[in-house]
Amino acid sequence: MDSVTEPKQQSLPAIAVTVIAGLLIWVLLSFFRKKEVKDKDEQINETKPNENTSNVKTGNKKAKHQRFLKKPSFVNFTHPYLHVTLKGHSGKVLGLDASINGKYMASCSDDRSVRLWSVKDFGSGNKCVRVNVEFDHARQARFSPDSRAFIAGLAVENTVRVFKLGKKDDGVTTCIPIEEDFKKYNQAELLNIGVGATSSGGSYVMTAYKNTTIMVRNLKGDILHTINTNQGNNNHAAVSPCGRFVASSGWTPDVKVWAVNFTRSGDYKDVTRAFELKGHTTSVWSFDFNNDSTRMVTVSKDGSWRFYDTRVEYEKGQEPYLLNSGEFCITGCSVDVDYCIVALSPDARVAAVACMNNITVFSTATGEVEVEFTEVHSEIISSLIFDIAGRYILSSGDKHIRIFHNTLGYKETIRELEDKIKPLPSASTTRERYQKQINEAKKALAAIDKS
Ligand SMILES: *[C@@H]1O[C@H](CO)[C@@H](O)[C@H](O)[C@H]1NC(C)=O
Ligand SMILES: *[C@@H]1O[C@H](CO)[C@@H](O)[C@H](O)[C@H]1NC(C)=O
Ligand SMILES: *[C@@H]1O[C@H](CO)[C@@H](O)[C@H](O)[C@H]1NC(C)=O
Ligand SMILES: *[C@@H]1O[C@H](CO)[C@@H](O)[C@H](O)[C@H]1NC(C)=O
Ligand SMILES: *[C@@H]1O[C@H](CO)[C@@H](O)[C@H](O)[C@H]1NC(C)=O
Ligand SMILES: *[C@@H]1O[C@H](CO)[C@@H](O)[C@H](O)[C@H]1NC(C)=O
Ligand SMILES: *[C@@H]1O[C@H](CO)[C@@H](O)[C@H](O)[C@H]1NC(C)=O
């Protein structure tokens, strides 16, 4: 996000006025904040699991789910594939994101902070950089493609704040908000945000609203293009990791994908319809791209997942085609689940689906389920992602973040390469290369087994 400008120079009197106004707002806000915390306490008592709450509000799925989920046994969740549990947030973690350079993971929580974790140090304790989200909290955080900034989707203000990563004199990473928040739109709730950069150097921010509006904006928040998805309401919207596409799913049984076009010199050009994913029979809850947008996976209320090849010449009218599909409610989904999240590994070999507080991991090539992690969090899973290298599956749902080894990723790599290697002559460089990759994957698996 290099083109984001430095804060404007202000004259002294202007600064004084700002400071005084800021103090006033702060006093007012802290008053409201105290009240809000009190309100929260009351809510917690209301939804205690042992109380007969189901009859208070019949048809309130959330209350029913919370009652179902709040069992003390979740506190000490453990699994052989669990690498580490990250602790530090004092409120529910609402969103996760991994930086493209593979170095950081960001988590945001209703404790009014975003925390940046070093992926390299996942195993060694709970070190993180705490970034305060003043007067608000973030539901989503998304790194900029150059990994030097991130944007946060503000829950109360319903808009976007940009934070820039920097280093203090002692080398410690810090983050500061830059300029003011994006202009807000109050007609609809913010559903998701994203940042995209194209190969020509153009970059943009996506703000998607539940009311089927998606806005493509420049890095200052000015609207470049507005899309109406016409999907009734939106369940999910995202920018592809390669930055070329914006996609959405909702009440209709399709996923719509648009191309965000920039000129060769990096200026915004237009947004055009690219392609659609079809075949589900009802609402698509969630979808995900692999790292170069050549594959996509979807999960729907119809109980199935679908895996597509999206490397198509959509400009010539080619449509994505289905590579595989299956059901994701294997043993679970016994209660009436009303939303599931899907994540696709960067290499597209593995997909994971989170329903309530369970996670199912399966191979996209064979459809076989490798493992089900059950009752991973004490509340409904809010975010599910793979790290950039495809080594881990990360989930959030309560105050903690669970990091699982992507064991299936290694197994699928071995299976695929062993198939490829068979017909190759014994003294070929390709064979050697594949063999090396197989050995590396085997070594990684052995290390997980030992730990
Ligand atoms: C909620 O429960 C806590 C203790 O569990 C108690 O101190 C507090 O007064 C309760 N609040 C309400 C509104 O009942
Ligand atoms: C919950 O309420 C229903 C209907 O009022 C009642 O039949 C049931 O016995 C209650 N359960 C408990 C545990 O109090
Ligand atoms: C979880 O583990 C801790 C320490 O290992 C123990 O004190 C606590 O009772 C356990 N909680 C549950 C619910 O099993
Ligand atoms: C949805 O919200 C956006 C942003 O607040 C607004 O501009 C748009 O008119 C709304 N669209 C619909 C269909 O209500
Ligand atoms: C940009 O839009 C045109 C159609 O207006 C399309 O032919 C072209 O492929 C698009 N470029 C990209 C990079 O999607
Ligand atoms: C989660 O898994 C457990 C154990 O298999 C199962 O009893 C429960 O119904 C599942 N929950 C959901 C929402 O699928
Ligand atoms: C995507 O992931 C694959 C496999 O991990 C890797 O070889 C490739 O370089 C990645 N591509 C991009 C664009 O990140």
Side-chain angles (χ1 to χ4, degrees):
M1 299 189 107
D2 279 327
S3 51
V4 176
T5 53
E6 294 300 320
K8 293 180 207 90
Q9 293 291 324
Q10 282 177 320
S11 65
L12 261 175
I15 290 173
V17 169
T18 314
V19 168
I20 291 164
L23 275 173
L24 261 173
I25 292 168
W26 181 76
V27 169
L28 276 173
L29 279 175
S30 36
F31 171 77
F32 283 118
R33 229 189 300 173
K34 271 192 197 126
K35 190 169 179 304
E36 201 180 288
V37 170
K38 219 163 134 200
D39 289 348
K40 239 185 227 159
D41 280 349
E42 279 160 16
Q43 272 166 20
I44 288 166
N45 290 9
E46 256 172 37
T47 54
K48 264 201 181 142
N50 51 0
E51 277 172 16
N52 198 351
T53 51
S54 60
N55 301 299
V56 179
K57 284 181 194 166
T58 38
N60 185 342
K61 274 188 184 161
K62 272 252 162 68
K64 203 161 69 192
H65 286 162
Q66 289 307 328
R67 191 166 42 89
F68 162 76
L69 292 167
K70 275 191 179 160
K71 284 195 225 151
S73 61
F74 302 131
V75 176
N76 292 347
F77 173 84
T78 175
H79 191 279
Y81 294 169
L82 181 70
H83 176 44
V84 68
T85 295
L86 300 182
K87 298 176 185 174
H89 280 293
S90 57
K92 179 167 170 151
V93 180
L94 303 171
L96 303 173
D97 194 43
S99 70
I100 303 268
N101 68 3
K103 282 191 186 164
Y104 310 111
M105 191 271 287
S107 58
C108 46
S109 156
D110 61 12
D111 68 5
R112 294 168 187 271
S113 76
V114 173
R115 280 161 202 262
L116 301 180
W117 311 81
S118 157
V119 172
K120 188 167 56 94
D121 301 330
F122 272 165
S124 56
N126 287 297
K127 277 179 288 179
C128 65
V129 175
R130 186 198 157 106
V131 183
N132 289 326
V133 182
E134 296 290 336
F135 306 131
D136 214 315
H137 69 265
R139 282 214 189 96
Q140 307 91 9
R142 300 276 174 255
F143 283 101
S144 63
D146 66 7
S147 306
R148 281 150 69 177
F150 70 85
I151 59 171
L154 304 180
V156 178
E157 284 295 303
N158 202 43
T159 189
V160 168
R161 187 173 295 170
V162 182
F163 291 84
K164 202 169 185 173
L165 270 69
K167 288 243 189 282
K168 275 197 235 161
D169 293 342
D170 54 3
V172 175
T173 305
T174 59
C175 282
I176 45 158
I178 28 178
E179 300 240 355
E180 57 234 63
D181 296 347
F182 283 14
K183 200 168 160 240
K184 64 177 170 175
Y185 292 86
N186 281 328
Q187 297 99 312
E189 193 182 326
L190 196 58
L191 170 68
N192 203 0
I193 56 173
V195 194
T198 57
S199 47
S200 62
S203 33
Y204 62 93
V205 169
M206 175 203 78
T207 51
Y209 300 86
K210 289 191 179 163
N211 77 348
T212 74
T213 295
I214 294 179
M215 290 170 181
V216 174
R217 303 161 181 254
N218 66 18
L219 301 182
K220 288 181 182 152
D222 307 325
I223 297 163
L224 302 171
H225 188 82
T226 302
I227 300 168
N228 181 353
T229 69
N230 282 316
Q231 286 169 316
N233 69 310
N234 278 121
N235 294 323
H236 188 53
V239 173
S240 66
C242 67
R244 279 172 68 199
F245 303 115
V246 162
S248 74
S249 72
W251 181 75
T252 55
D254 55 359
V255 175
K256 288 181 181 169
V257 184
W258 290 264
V260 182
N261 258 331
F262 284 80
T263 63
R264 272 166 209 271
S265 52
D267 297 318
Y268 167 75
K269 194 176 144 219
D270 58 9
V271 174
T272 55
R273 280 293 281 276
F275 54 85
E276 282 168 26
L277 305 180
K278 296 176 193 154
H280 281 296
T281 57
T282 180
S283 304
V284 178
W285 277 330
S286 162
F287 59 84
D288 200 15
F289 295 91
N290 71 333
N291 66 0
D292 59 3
S293 314
T294 53
R295 297 284 187 276
M296 284 180 77
V297 67
T298 56
V299 291
S300 158
K301 194 180 173 182
D302 66 19
S304 70
W305 56 266
R306 293 170 75 82
F307 179 56
Y308 300 85
D309 184 340
T310 52
R311 184 162 33 189
V312 291
E313 292 185 68
Y314 58 85
E315 300 93 335
K316 294 182 184 161
Q318 252 184 41
E319 289 185 18
Y321 50 95
L322 190 70
L323 293 171
N324 205 353
S325 66
E327 286 175 9
F328 57 82
C329 283
I330 310 300
T331 60
C333 297
S334 48
V335 288
D336 46 346
V337 173
D338 60 3
Y339 186 68
C340 297
I341 309 171
V342 67
L344 186 59
S345 67
D347 64 8
R349 288 183 174 122
V350 180
V353 178
C355 294
M356 305 291 285
N357 60 350
N358 291 352
I359 301 172
T360 307
V361 182
F362 59 90
S363 153
T364 52
T366 66
E368 265 172 55
V369 172
E370 186 215 22
V371 62
E372 270 195 281
F373 304 120
T374 57
E375 305 181 335
V376 176
H377 293 279
S378 61
E379 289 175 67
I380 294 170
I381 292 173
S382 56
S383 186
L384 182 72
I385 63 168
F386 283 83
D387 74 312
I388 297 298
R391 290 162 63 206
Y392 306 114
I393 301 170
L394 291 69
S395 70
S396 63
D398 40 35
K399 291 173 187 175
H400 301 160
I401 301 155
R402 308 269 188 219
I403 301 182
F404 296 94
H405 290 288
N406 178 16
T407 48
L408 183 58
Y410 298 116
K411 290 178 192 167
E412 285 297 283
T413 303
I414 295 167
R415 190 183 59 79
E416 245 186 73
L417 294 180
E418 281 182 342
D419 278 352
K420 275 190 188 167
I421 222 168
K422 270 179 210 151
L424 295 177
S426 56
S428 89
T429 50
T430 318
R431 192 185 181 98
E432 268 172 36
R433 187 159 49 86
Y434 285 165
Q435 193 57 54
K436 203 173 147 231
Q437 288 174 29
I438 291 171
N439 294 345
E440 276 166 11
K442 284 186 173 165
K443 220 170 102 186
L445 267 181
I448 295 165
D449 278 343
K450 251 188 264 158
S451 65

